[in-house]
C-alpha cells in the first residue's frame, strides 16, 4: 500500500519507477485535479492532501478487509465494508485499474 499526500510523493514513485509511466502520470493528474478542486492557489509543492484525506494505492497482497492505517478498520470490513462515493474503471493502453472514492 502506498499513501500519497503531496505531489512530491507522486514524483518519488515516478522517479523510482515503482509503477508504470502511465499509472504515475494518472496519479499526478489526479493529484493536480484534487488541488484544483480544493481551489488551492499556491504552488503544487505546498499543497498537502493530508488536510483533506489522501490518495491510497493498493497493491497485491494488501488486506482489503483491514485498511485501518487509512481509516477503513477491520471491524467495519475495511474497503469491502465501506460505501464508496463512486467506483471507476480506468484503462490506459493495456493497463487497467480501479478508482474507489471513499469519503
Amino acid at each position: 500500500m502506498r499513501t500519497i499526500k503531496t505531489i512530491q510523493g507522486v514524483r518519488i514513485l515516478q522517479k523510482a519507477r515503482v509503477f508504470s509511466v502511465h499509472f504515475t502520470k494518472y496519479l499526478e493528474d489526479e493529484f493536480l485535479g484534487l488541488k484544483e478542486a480544493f481551489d488551492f492557489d499556491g504552488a503544487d509543492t505546498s499543497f498537502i492532501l493530508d488536510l483533506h484525506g489522501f490518495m491510497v494505492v493498493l497493491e497485491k497482497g494488501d488486506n482489503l478487509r483491514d485498511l485501518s492505517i487509512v481509516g477503513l478498520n477491520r471491524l467495519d470490513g475495511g474497503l469491502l465494508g465501506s460505501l464508496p462515493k463512486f467506483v471507476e474503471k480506468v484503462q490506459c493502453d493495456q493497463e487497467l485499474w480501479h478508482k474507489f472514492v471513499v469519503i
Side-chain angles (χ1 to χ4, degrees), residues 11 13 17 19 21 33 57 65 71 79 98:
R11 294 188 177 143
L13 294 174
R17 297 185 177 150
F19 301 115
V21 172
V57 177
R65 295 186 188 279
L79 180 61
H98 294 84

Side-chain angles (χ1 to χ4, degrees), residues 37-57:
F38 285 114
D39 200 27
F40 186 83
D41 291 330
D44 292 349
T45 55
S46 60
F47 178 66
I48 301 172
L49 271 177
D50 200 24
L51 304 173
H52 312 286
F54 43 90
M55 296 169 58
V56 177
V57 177

Side-chain angles (χ1 to χ4, degrees), residues 4 7 11 23 27 43 48 56 61-62 70 77 83 90:
I4 300 168
I7 194 66
R11 294 188 177 143
F23 187 62
L27 292 175
I48 301 172
V56 177
D62 287 340
V70 295
L83 190 60
V90 181

Side-chain angles (χ1 to χ4, degrees), residues 10-11 13-29 92-93 95 97:
V10 174
R11 294 188 177 143
L13 294 174
Q14 287 172 330
K15 189 173 182 177
R17 297 185 177 150
V18 173
F19 301 115
S20 73
V21 172
H22 295 296
F23 187 62
T24 53
K25 175 66 174 139
Y26 175 79
L27 292 175
E28 181 178 38
D29 291 345
C92 182
D93 290 334
E95 295 181 42
W97 53 88

